[in-house]
Amino acid sequence: MIALGSDHGGFALKQEIKAFLDSRGIAYEDFGTYTEESCDYPKYAQLACDAVVSGKCEKAILCCGTGIGISIAANKIKGIRAALCSDYFSAKYTRLHNDANVLCMGGRTIGPGLALELVDVFLHTEFEGGRHQRRIDQITELENRG
Ligand code: RB5
């Protein structure tokens, strides 16, 4: 199950992503926003990321205008490794090397064609582990500092 979230700036892209996931038979839950009315992205980062942390969803995809605000908010949540991506290589390697569990994109910065390529590779690339696990563990230690 994939968690989806966006503010108004990412709403249209989230709709494209839902159509893509439907076409691939990939299950998702849309945590909002559900209209183009102006709203605050931290709320939707929290709703979608909480579903990842709880184990209800395996990954999340978040969109705002630039992808920046919602990625900053997501990375404040313990257990979340959110990657803001606008190129294929980064979307692939953030799975291989960072075990990112959240993909963030900007609805006003990249087109839907590229965005769906990023979604596809992000969802279908496995973490490599090995030396990268050590680095993830170090990130977790940072997260656990008082
Ligand atoms: C909303 O206008 C915009 O600030 C938001 O979507 C996002 O780009 C913030 O980082």
Side-chain angles (χ1 to χ4, degrees):
M1 177 77 79
I2 305 301
L4 300 178
S6 79
D7 72 353
H8 54 291
F11 174 78
L13 180 54
K14 178 160 62 66
Q15 296 301 100
E16 300 271 1
I17 293 167
K18 285 165 67 173
F20 174 78
L21 296 177
D22 284 336
S23 76
R24 297 295 177 94
I26 298 173
Y28 59 83
E29 182 165 347
D30 183 357
F31 288 90
T33 186
Y34 304 115
T35 73
E36 292 193 326
E37 192 180 330
S38 181
C39 63
D40 300 330
Y41 53 79
K43 170 181 173 181
Y44 302 101
Q46 182 182 345
L47 290 170
C49 290
D50 281 354
V52 174
V53 172
S54 74
K56 181 178 185 186
C57 293
E58 63 194 63
K59 294 187 182 79
I61 301 171
L62 301 176
C63 308
C64 67
T66 59
I68 297 172
I70 208 159
S71 65
I72 293 172
N75 276 313
K76 299 294 181 192
I77 297 169
K78 198 169 175 175
I80 292 300
R81 292 179 299 282
L84 171 58
C85 295
S86 56
D87 69 276
Y88 187 90
F89 187 90
S90 296
K92 180 175 179 179
Y93 275 80
T94 200
R95 287 289 311 128
L96 288 171
H97 288 187
N98 312 129
D99 197 18
N101 49 14
V102 179
L103 172 66
C104 301
M105 295 178 293
R108 295 170 180 161
T109 60
I110 61 172
L114 173 58
L116 299 182
E117 291 283 320
L118 304 188
V119 167
D120 199 26
V121 73
F122 183 83
L123 294 183
H124 294 107
T125 304
E126 294 301 320
F127 178 47
E128 266 182 13
R131 68 188 187 282
H132 303 294
Q133 183 58 56
R134 182 176 69 243
R135 295 158 187 166
I136 300 304
D137 292 343
Q138 290 167 3
I139 291 172
T140 304
E141 282 172 26
L142 285 176
E143 198 174 55
N144 288 334
R145 285 196 310 186

